[in-house]
Amino acid sequence: MASRITRSPGIKDVAALAGVSASTASKALNGTGQLREETRVRVREAAEKIGFIADSRGRALASGRSFTVGLITTDSSGRFSIPIMLGAEDALSAGEMALVLCDTRDDPLREHHYLKSLVARRVDGIIVTGRRTEQREPVDVPIPVVYAFSPSTDPRDTSVLVDDSGGAASTVQHLLSLGRERIAHVTGPESHLSARIRATATSRAAAGAFTGEPLYGEWSERWGRHAVDVLLRTHPEVDAVTCGSDQIARGVCDRLRELDRSVPGDVAVTGYDNWSVMAMASRPPLTTVDMELEELGRRTANLLLDAIAGSPHPGPLHLPTRLIPRESTLGT
Amino acid sequence: MASRITRSPGIKDVAALAGVSASTASKALNGTGQLREETRVRVREAAEKIGFIADSRGRALASGRSFTVGLITTDSSGRFSIPIMLGAEDALSAGEMALVLCDTRDDPLREHHYLKSLVARRVDGIIVTGRRTEQREPVDVPIPVVYAFSPSTDPRDTSVLVDDSGGAASTVQHLLSLGRERIAHVTGPESHLSARIRATATSRAAAGAFTGEPLYGEWSERWGRHAVDVLLRTHPEVDAVTCGSDQIARGVCDRLRELDRSVPGDVAVTGYDNWSVMAMASRPPLTTVDMELEELGRRTANLLLDAIAGSPHPGPLHLPTRLIPRESTLGT
């Protein structure tokens, strides 16, 4: 309400109430200078009484740090960068660091402008993230940077990444352990690195059980439905389909049901992403791979804090995924 | 890469290159003091040459402002607050303001801690947002605050809200204009204000065409499917169903198709949210209501900038929604 928007109590108000000079009040609250303990106590009590809050910019200027980190994201739709951002924010806030959000909307000029502005604000470091797992050009700033999800092309930069090969292999190992012997793979566009990496890891892990060629298409339910028609025409013997995303897997399940093939009875299906609105709404709910992006955000933030403290960890770091088994492979 | 993380050029480096004192260099760059124009030019050229970036904290301290706004969100899943945040960030960045993200994860203690920290950082104002349209307690800080999506209980606070009544009414007007005469409503839990507001506005707008009672349930596809069975048993004459969310509407379409009722031939269906992964993947794609949350975020940020500049706009502000017509009412 309007009446709450009043001037905050200042150091002079504290000093007046405690009966000391502003400079003495400041020393008392900062724990500096040569003061009697009773003076310090009186000043602290006065500050408490009138609700004085110290200006943390003073601490920042004195230390040469701003206790602020910038996050550059290209991903305004947010599927992947939002959980990373929330994980980073969680880790940083525990250390009293603020996270400044910069959404470049995939515009290089906008990114350049943000970087200049963050440096001018004297942020202590920058997290750079994006929507694709392809490498990206490093940013050129005189402060520590850590890349999350989208790695830097410079192998000496710190990049925190998802182990997509391991994630794809984990679905195959799960299916083999359930006795499946003819495993197909349906995924997104071949132009996407994540689709290629997952397809390669799937066929390698399945070895002799791999059936047909990876079916590249788009990241959509519609493609999942269509791919079932292709698969059943070319490889009707298939008993499992691993998919590059939960959306594709949901489409695969829907189409198999429409054709009276039971999931997982006739064909087991796995997704990728553990995107709950897809994975849980699918009939049946999807066995899938969780990329643990919030944890990736936390790790990124902690590696950046290390770099700010003078202990960088150069090079890429691949974090493990987690397999989430549900009815689409286990049945009910 | 490690070699990029070097000391930034400082004012002393600029001064040395220009052959002046640090104090003169500072005055030249800030446009203050009594200096000859050729001195200013020489200093600016030196700054440009070595890539000196002025410390914007100096401007901040001098102006008494930090050119920073805090955003408090309770909504870590982000369905509603993420577009609001991105819209706010977009509007603020145009004015060279930085947005500090604070995710309270619905924890009041965490919110209190963030508010103290933002005030200590001398942010110029705060945006408060959440996942529900229910009123919330105002925050008690001595700086301007604007509430987005979740209004403050204090009617003198600035709250920027969705016109949910208008949104629900727009779906009914659309259906009536298409000649539908028996309109049912399926929505989320009755304990949610947004569900009650939309149900009330729907029955009022439909008047004599309203069929049965609003069916309250949960925000899920499963409930949408189940509600179709209830509706066809109790009101088999229904020729349109308006739904409180796209998830519910998608479930309604799926179940109608399974029962060989055509959409929209036999029954027209509308959603709410324009959540593309639901609305576009639905068969058929959904006519729905877009809450224009990114625009809501922009408006919120601009109202906050007005308040920071000394011109607050007290009271709630309801922004219009937008009807998006698609195949679920129009056919192909």
Side-chain angles (χ1 to χ4, degrees):
Chain A
M1 64 198 202
S3 64
R4 281 200 308 276
I5 303 171
T6 51
R7 191 178 65 87
S8 315
I11 190 74
K12 286 182 188 164
D13 304 309
V14 175
L17 185 63
V20 298
S21 71
S23 128
T24 299
S26 174
K27 284 177 193 154
L29 292 175
N30 289 327
T32 55
Q34 301 286 325
L35 299 179
R36 279 179 303 163
E37 186 54 25
E38 67 179 64
T39 307
R40 276 192 211 287
V41 169
R42 199 163 74 243
V43 170
R44 277 190 208 129
E45 283 171 355
E48 181 79 14
K49 193 165 179 183
I50 64 174
F52 171 79
I53 299 174
D55 187 336
S56 62
R57 293 177 305 175
R59 174 180 74 133
L61 281 173
S63 67
R65 287 181 49 186
S66 64
F67 297 93
T68 304
V69 163
L71 182 132
I72 298 267
T73 169
T74 62
D75 177 14
S76 43
S77 68
R79 275 288 305 294
F80 304 122
S81 64
I82 297 295
I84 293 171
M85 182 176 81
L86 294 176
E89 194 271 343
D90 189 43
L92 292 170
S93 69
E96 304 279 331
M97 304 278 284
L99 184 70
V100 168
L101 175 65
C102 304
D103 175 15
T104 68
R105 297 172 185 238
D106 255 340
D107 175 350
L109 274 179
R110 215 170 142 126
E111 177 173 304
H112 180 73
H113 172 79
Y114 274 126
L115 289 169
K116 262 186 72 170
S117 163
L118 288 172
V119 170
R121 284 177 179 274
R122 296 292 189 268
V123 298
D124 299 321
I126 295 178
I127 293 170
V128 175
T129 186
R131 71 158 67 80
R132 297 273 296 267
T133 60
E134 271 76 3
Q135 290 187 335
R136 55 153 291 151
E137 285 298 305
V139 299
D140 186 14
V141 290
I143 52 177
V145 177
V146 177
Y147 300 82
F149 199 72
S150 297
S152 162
T153 49
D154 188 328
R156 291 165 298 178
D157 283 334
T158 307
S159 298
V160 188
L161 310 169
V162 173
D163 176 11
D164 262 336
S165 285
S170 73
T171 62
V172 172
Q173 284 142 12
H174 173 69
L175 291 165
L176 292 173
S177 77
L178 294 170
R180 304 289 162 156
E181 296 177 340
R182 293 175 298 279
I183 301 173
H185 185 65
V186 178
T187 190
E190 190 165 6
S191 61
H192 283 211
L193 179 65
S194 59
R196 295 196 305 276
I197 295 259
R198 293 170 197 174
T200 304
T202 300
S203 70
R204 188 177 302 146
F210 196 68
T211 300
E213 293 294 316
L215 292 177
Y216 290 102
E218 51 179 49
W219 303 111
S220 72
E221 294 180 59
R222 179 198 302 256
W223 162 238
R225 292 195 299 266
H226 180 70
V228 167
D229 293 337
V230 174
L231 257 183
L232 294 184
R233 197 170 59 236
T234 55
H235 296 90
E237 75 281 13
V238 68
D239 65 8
V241 181
T242 62
C243 301
S245 79
D246 289 342
Q247 280 176 285
I248 294 171
R250 186 175 176 179
V252 166
C253 289
D254 280 349
R255 187 63 183 149
L256 286 168
R257 190 176 61 253
E258 287 170 5
L259 298 173
D260 285 323
R261 303 285 179 121
S262 79
V263 177
D266 296 324
V267 182
V269 177
T270 62
Y272 205 99
D273 289 339
N274 196 26
W275 188 16
S276 64
V277 296
M278 286 294 146
M280 299 305 290
S282 171
R283 290 184 283 169
L286 297 173
T287 293
T288 186
V289 173
D290 193 314
M291 293 191 281
E292 306 259 56
L293 294 176
E294 200 169 315
E295 175 61 20
L296 191 150
R298 277 193 206 94
R299 287 292 290 273
T300 300
N302 285 324
L303 288 171
L304 182 62
L305 293 177
D306 284 354
I308 292 168
S311 303
H313 303 264
L317 174 68
H318 289 86
L319 298 187
T321 59
R322 191 160 55 99
L323 185 79
I324 314 284
R326 294 201 187 97
E327 287 91 322
S328 69
T329 57
L330 300 178
T332 45
Chain B
M1 66 196 207
S3 63
R4 280 199 308 278
I5 303 171
T6 52
R7 190 177 66 87
S8 316
I11 189 74
K12 286 183 189 163
D13 304 309
V14 176
L17 186 61
V20 298
S21 71
S23 131
T24 298
S26 175
K27 284 176 194 154
L29 293 174
N30 290 327
T32 56
Q34 302 285 328
L35 298 179
R36 281 180 302 167
E37 187 53 27
E38 67 177 65
T39 308
R40 278 194 210 286
V41 170
R42 199 164 73 240
V43 171
R44 279 192 206 124
E45 284 173 354
E48 182 77 16
K49 191 164 179 183
I50 63 174
F52 172 77
I53 299 174
D55 187 336
S56 62
R57 293 178 306 175
R59 174 180 74 132
L61 281 173
S63 67
R65 288 181 49 188
S66 64
F67 297 92
T68 305
V69 162
L71 182 133
I72 298 269
T73 171
T74 63
D75 178 15
S76 44
S77 69
R79 274 288 305 294
F80 304 122
S81 64
I82 297 296
I84 293 171
M85 182 176 84
L86 295 176
E89 194 272 343
D90 189 42
L92 292 170
S93 70
E96 304 279 334
M97 305 276 285
L99 184 70
V100 168
L101 175 65
C102 304
D103 175 15
T104 68
R105 295 170 187 240
D106 256 340
D107 175 350
L109 274 179
R110 214 168 143 127
E111 176 172 304
H112 180 75
H113 173 79
Y114 274 125
L115 288 170
K116 263 186 70 169
S117 162
L118 288 172
V119 170
R121 283 178 180 274
R122 295 293 188 267
V123 298
D124 299 321
I126 296 178
I127 293 170
V128 175
T129 187
R131 70 157 67 82
R132 297 274 294 268
T133 60
E134 271 77 4
Q135 291 188 333
R136 54 152 293 148
E137 285 298 305
V139 300
D140 186 14
V141 291
I143 51 175
V145 177
V146 176
Y147 299 81
F149 199 71
S150 299
S152 162
T153 51
D154 189 327
R156 292 166 296 178
D157 283 336
T158 307
S159 297
V160 187
L161 310 170
V162 173
D163 177 11
D164 262 335
S165 285
S170 72
T171 61
V172 172
Q173 286 143 11
H174 174 70
L175 291 166
L176 292 173
S177 77
L178 294 170
R180 303 290 162 156
E181 297 175 341
R182 294 175 297 279
I183 301 172
H185 185 64
V186 179
T187 190
E190 191 165 6
S191 61
H192 283 212
L193 178 66
S194 59
R196 295 197 304 277
I197 295 259
R198 292 170 197 172
T200 303
T202 299
S203 69
R204 188 176 301 147
F210 196 68
T211 300
E213 293 293 317
L215 292 177
Y216 290 103
E218 51 180 49
W219 304 113
S220 72
E221 294 179 59
R222 180 200 301 256
W223 162 237
R225 293 195 299 267
H226 181 68
V228 167
D229 294 337
V230 174
L231 258 182
L232 294 184
R233 196 170 60 236
T234 54
H235 296 90
E237 75 281 14
V238 68
D239 66 7
V241 181
T242 62
C243 302
S245 79
D246 289 342
Q247 279 176 286
I248 294 172
R250 184 175 179 181
V252 165
C253 289
D254 279 349
R255 186 65 182 147
L256 286 168
R257 190 177 61 254
E258 285 170 6
L259 298 172
D260 285 324
R261 304 282 179 124
S262 78
V263 177
D266 296 322
V267 183
V269 177
T270 62
Y272 205 100
D273 289 339
N274 197 26
W275 187 16
S276 65
V277 294
M278 287 293 146
M280 298 305 290
S282 171
R283 291 185 281 170
L286 297 173
T287 293
T288 186
V289 173
D290 194 314
M291 293 191 280
E292 306 258 55
L293 294 176
E294 200 168 316
E295 176 59 20
L296 191 150
R298 276 193 207 94
R299 288 292 290 274
T300 300
N302 285 324
L303 288 171
L304 183 63
L305 293 178
D306 284 353
I308 292 168
S311 303
H313 302 263
L317 174 68
H318 290 86
L319 298 187
T321 59
R322 191 160 56 100
L323 185 79
I324 314 285
R326 294 201 187 96
E327 287 90 324
S328 71
T329 58
L330 300 179
T332 44

